[in-house]
Amino acid sequence: MSAAAEKHPKGLYVLFATEMWERFNYYGMRAILVLFLTKALLFDKVFASQVYGSYTGLIYLTPLLGGYIADRYWGNNKSIIAGGLVMAIGEFFLFFCGNYYDNAVIATPLFYIGLGCMIAGNGFFKPNISSLVGQLYKKGDSKIDAAYTIFYMGINTGGALGPIVCGYFGDTGSKGDFKWAFLAGGIAMLLSVVTQMLFQKKYLVNAEGASIGEAPANAPKFFQKIPVMVGFLFLISLLTIALVYIDIKVVSYLFWLLLACILFISFIIFSDSTLNGIEKKKVAVLFTVSFFVIFFWSAFEQAGASLTYFASENTERNLGFFEVPTSFFQSLNSIFVVTLAPLVAWIWIKLGKINKEPSSPFKMAMGLMLLALGYLWIATGVKGVGTGVKVSMIWLVGMYMMHTFGELCLSPIGLSLFNKLAPFKFASLLMAVWFTANAFANKLAGVFSALYPEGDKVTSFAGYQISNLHEFFMFFVFMAGLASIILFFLSRKLKGLMEN
Ligand code: GLN
């Protein structure tokens, strides 16, 4: 293949930069979130875990709305700008909240408004930027997979830098400094919006040179004015604040809502008489893998909650010359993605050459197994260790490395499976299933994180009792290990259904 054929459009690098700054903002804030809640706002870990679960759960649910509205009214470009601005506003609310952390009457509303803005803004940013990547290319262009890989590097460059920069300024050991992390996140988000605004006209074009991401021609113009859009998103933020607040404080309903979403979507698809048997079998494969990824992400996303408590309280972070801030550990996953992804891609190519590349469901089962092994590693490190004792950071670092290998086996494969198998008519609806599974997993991650052992506290989930760190981590070994084994057994059957 000639060098020219390999060349990617410049627009890809614009989207790379836009997404990098946005992920910097998202992961930088996430690195601080439970620390801020427990150390500055003085909530307990159970409550902080619940906030984390409801927040990140809704982060994956609002993209359904953001994708829908962009397709019909706003187009991708403007949705990204409005969503990005609202996320920046969210960070600034959190910054003010951080200023008044010791006054609950002021800090509490500011905190929830900030969180609501992040959720609503993300819902309009994330699905639309991902969709633009594919639109830069002709349908079926073989460079699309590579484009998404490059884009994934952008995600993780931001994911690596955010926790480090925000952690450096905000996670200093002084309660009053957390606000700087939110400010840094807000500035990064503004950089993202500015990048998009400066370069979208010139570089976001398709293979024929026509602009992409524009609003549909017949959409009402009034609703496409940025202040109107931001105002609308602000209303959605208020709604999401209410949703988060009710879920945490009144009645935990989010699981049921998500379950209802999945059942409703499956009813729509399976009752559609225009789909033939083969298509329905492919859809069944997608539902099955969505079910299994719940076990993956609910254990993996402990990163922002229980594993951060562990980094803070049970990990020796003092290197003698430098004490590593707790939040830095949240950048490890992204650092490992950037460094290990080429190795994993190389392994698949090598195996492919000798006709031994595993099927997608098999790779996903491997991902779950690697996740279980990561937890087994850290469970070994804390065997016999009391809740207040600190262990070496190699346990956490090694675990994040194994988790990242797991992510690289499961996450990109899952997404491309949706692209390949979803019947055209239901492509977006099935993407919604994938997002809803992620939302479910993140909400569940909050529930699991609340089981984190402390003092003599004994917690339990589905009959499994947890009274120390070893038992806590073994819980994830059993859950992910069991899910992996079942998926290994199912993978041959799923492969058959896919190839039909
Ligand atoms: N780390 C990736 C991102 O932030 C993927 C996360 C996920 O799919 N749960 O986009």
Side-chain angles (χ1 to χ4, degrees), residues 282-480:
K282 290 185 176 169
V283 172
V285 173
L286 295 179
F287 271 96
T288 312
V289 299
S290 300
F291 175 71
F292 280 94
V293 298
I294 292 178
F295 299 101
F296 184 88
W297 293 118
S298 59
F300 182 93
E301 297 289 352
Q302 293 305 310
S306 67
L307 291 170
T308 294
Y309 305 146
F310 184 78
S312 168
E313 291 166 14
N314 302 102
T315 303
E316 184 48 80
R317 289 176 287 109
N318 202 334
L319 294 174
F321 58 97
F322 175 62
E323 171 144 320
V324 183
T326 305
S327 48
F328 278 25
F329 286 85
Q330 283 198 51
S331 74
L332 283 171
N333 166 240
S334 284
I335 293 174
F336 282 131
V337 168
V338 175
T339 48
L340 299 177
L343 175 65
V344 174
W346 179 83
I347 294 174
W348 298 146
I349 292 172
K350 280 277 163 211
L351 288 174
K353 280 199 177 134
I354 52 167
N355 259 333
K356 288 248 157 34
E357 185 173 352
S359 70
S360 300
F362 193 91
K363 285 182 187 169
M364 296 177 91
M366 283 172 66
L368 273 160
M369 190 49 86
L370 284 161
L371 184 83
L373 289 176
Y375 275 114
L376 188 61
W377 166 259
I378 200 163
T380 313
V382 295
K383 199 158 169 53
V385 168
T387 45
V389 179
K390 293 190 174 186
V391 296
S392 157
M393 59 172 89
I394 60 159
W395 301 110
L396 206 47
V397 176
M399 183 214 68
Y400 274 125
M401 190 170 94
M402 288 189 234
H403 283 189
T404 308
F405 270 121
E407 174 186 354
L408 291 168
C409 287
L410 177 134
S411 176
I413 277 112
L415 270 180
S416 75
L417 210 56
F418 274 74
N419 279 325
K420 280 189 215 136
L421 297 185
F424 183 70
K425 185 172 173 188
F426 290 119
S428 312
L429 211 52
L430 281 162
M431 215 53 238
V433 171
W434 177 259
F435 273 114
T436 312
N438 266 279
F440 201 93
N442 276 273
K443 170 71 190 147
L444 201 55
V447 172
F448 291 157
S449 168
L451 304 173
Y452 193 77
E454 203 171 20
D456 316 324
K457 189 179 83 174
V458 180
T459 53
S460 79
F461 187 84
Y464 181 89
Q465 291 226 330
I466 296 168
S467 56
N468 57 45
L469 285 166
H470 178 73
E471 286 166 3
F472 179 69
F473 291 130
M474 285 308 287
F475 172 75
F476 297 105
V477 177
F478 294 134
M479 182 185 73

Side-chain angles (χ1 to χ4, degrees), residues 292 361-362 365 481-495:
F292 280 94
F362 193 91
L482 193 64
S484 166
I485 291 166
I486 298 173
L487 190 56
F488 271 126
F489 279 114
L490 283 179
S491 64
R492 195 180 278 265
K493 173 113 189 106
L494 292 173
K495 188 171 173 237

